Amino acid sequence: MFSLTVRRHFMIAHSLPREAFGPAQGLHGATFVAEVAFRRRALNENAIVLDIGAAGTVIEEVLDGLNYKNLDEHPDFEGKLSTTEALAQYIAQAVAAKISNDDDGRHLDGIDVTLRENPDAWATFSLDLCA
């Protein structure tokens, strides 16, 4: 399996209004580094997984919808918790939806999104695209 990973960062505000989240129950900000890995079993005819520039553009388009936003007010998170894990899933699904029409995107086997909150804590969601 081959993979190509592209990183970008984004900033959000949100609250996690449940006792389990302690001080994070209140409104607070977070800066995430998003690492999006695209997976393929075989390289394409150009011997790549995906064009790095195209991958970066898709990621930026998805993150633009989150960057500097209060996720408590974001329509896609209405009635949902915007945990790091939930954000990783959201980003993976949004990237997959945008890239699925691209010729190389149709041949991907999966997308993994890792969100790093700091150097010592991160969460990953793996989306398998071939069933």
Side-chain angles (χ1 to χ4, degrees):
M1 184 75 67
F2 295 92
S3 67
L4 166 73
T5 302
V6 178
R7 293 185 343 169
R8 297 290 189 269
H9 75 277
F10 66 105
M11 295 178 272
I12 56 105
H14 69 157
S15 62
L16 299 168
R18 292 199 182 159
E19 192 173 322
F21 298 107
Q25 290 178 67
L27 184 64
H28 62 280
T31 300
F32 291 100
V33 174
E35 298 175 359
V36 182
F38 301 88
R39 293 183 275 118
R40 288 177 70 125
R41 293 195 190 290
L43 299 176
N44 69 12
E45 66 277 359
N46 296 313
I48 60 174
V49 172
L50 190 67
D51 178 82
I52 291 173
T57 298
V58 168
I59 294 164
E60 289 166 6
E61 289 172 0
V62 169
L63 296 181
D64 279 349
L66 301 172
N67 200 27
Y68 289 103
K69 302 290 191 293
N70 179 348
L71 299 186
D72 294 350
E73 300 170 353
H74 194 290
D76 291 345
F77 292 95
E78 187 175 342
K80 300 176 186 173
L81 290 171
S82 56
T83 62
T84 305
E85 295 87 343
L87 278 172
Q89 180 182 24
Y90 174 89
I91 292 166
Q93 291 171 335
V95 167
K98 283 191 170 290
I99 208 160
S100 65
N101 293 330
D102 179 85
D103 189 45
D104 282 334
R106 285 193 297 272
H107 295 93
L108 291 173
D109 291 299
I111 296 173
D112 303 317
V113 174
T114 298
L115 294 183
R116 297 185 186 273
E117 292 189 68
N118 67 57
D120 299 322
W122 58 88
T124 301
F125 177 77
S126 295
L127 179 64
D128 290 327
L129 298 174
C130 55

